[in-house]
Amino acid sequence: MPQQFYARDALDVARDLLGKRLCRGAVRLRITEVEAYRWPGDTANHCRAGRTRRNEPMWGPAGCAYVYLCYGMHWMLNLVTGDTGEGAAVLIRSAEIESGLAIVRRRRAGLQGPPLCAGPGRLAAALGLDARFNHHPLHVHGGLEVCEGEPPAAILEGPRVGIDFASPGDRKAPWRLAEASSKWVTHRSRFQG
DNA sequence: TCTACGATCTTT
DNA sequence: AAGATCGTAGAT
């Protein structure tokens, strides 16, 4: 996807990322679940308190990766959105493995059992991501990139996961999006009927 | 420096 | 319901 694709409101980018393909070498994943961290005023957003060393990529140009370590053990992949100077991003939470299953299994050697690619920690592990991918431009060919794909027929919308510290309004905001028909979605019961 | 805690995942 | 496990942020 061109850089322009990412230079919009995180919620719009999140919706359009569903069904797109996330590729690194032979590993190709179809995105099934995402979360938008918007700007400004989103109290769940890592940038809520301004610029810090960790959230640096989020203030930079759209289309770059924001990769950070969560709970001391899981890498999270975010794609920076909006204009430079705004702190917004989309967290990629789950995907379906379209190719490169053997490589993904190898990378997940330390973890156990299926599902292989549901949940943001597993997804980053499947792609073999770590701090080296922080700031990586997704819109540049080669390395890690996002390619065209078929959009989902129906989309589920619900509150984001793991943000109990945010304001009541932001905790309720339906900014987690998922492909309704996909098996590769976490916390299904938390979506509206 | 010091310390509390987190956009998770697994097993119980 | 809780443990693994460590970088970050805000306070000192």
Side-chain angles (χ1 to χ4, degrees):
Chain A
M1 294 292 117
Q3 187 170 29
Q4 280 302 105
F5 174 84
Y6 305 96
R8 299 177 284 148
D9 186 291
L11 187 56
D12 295 324
V13 178
R15 190 175 289 106
D16 292 344
L17 277 170
L18 291 175
K20 295 279 191 296
R21 294 182 168 84
L22 194 48
C23 307
R24 180 185 176 201
V27 174
R28 219 173 58 215
L29 310 179
R30 182 166 181 280
I31 298 171
T32 55
E33 182 187 348
V34 295
E35 278 178 2
Y37 288 86
R38 304 173 77 186
W39 186 262
D42 179 359
T43 59
N45 189 323
H46 276 184
C47 291
R48 62 189 176 276
R51 196 179 284 256
T52 66
R53 175 183 243 87
R54 177 175 64 163
N55 66 32
E56 193 61 29
M58 289 184 68
W59 305 96
C64 292
Y66 167 41
V67 179
Y68 74 94
L69 188 63
C70 187
Y71 296 105
M73 60 198 92
H74 299 291
W75 293 99
M76 304 282 117
L77 170 64
N78 299 259
L79 307 186
V80 176
T81 66
D83 293 332
T84 297
E86 296 179 347
V90 174
L91 171 67
I92 312 297
R93 288 190 57 90
S94 300
E96 175 179 356
I97 300 172
E98 289 194 331
S99 74
L101 182 60
I103 297 172
V104 171
R105 279 200 214 281
R106 209 174 311 141
R107 284 175 176 157
R108 286 181 39 82
L111 305 176
Q112 292 190 3
L116 286 166
C117 215
R122 290 158 163 167
L123 182 138
L127 288 166
L129 302 183
D130 58 31
R132 296 180 316 231
F133 282 82
N134 204 21
H135 286 103
H136 177 93
L138 277 287
H139 49 92
V140 172
H141 184 66
L144 180 66
E145 54 192 305
V146 175
C147 304
E148 273 296 355
E150 303 308 314
I155 294 175
L156 299 174
E157 303 184 357
R160 293 168 292 178
V161 175
I163 57 159
D164 291 347
F165 55 86
S167 72
D170 289 334
R171 272 185 301 184
K172 283 184 228 142
W175 298 342
R176 180 165 72 111
L177 309 178
E179 178 174 45
S181 63
S182 178
K183 160 190 173 185
W184 307 98
V185 175
T186 62
H187 303 290
R188 281 205 87 95
S189 61
R190 297 194 203 176
F191 286 109
Q192 312 286 12

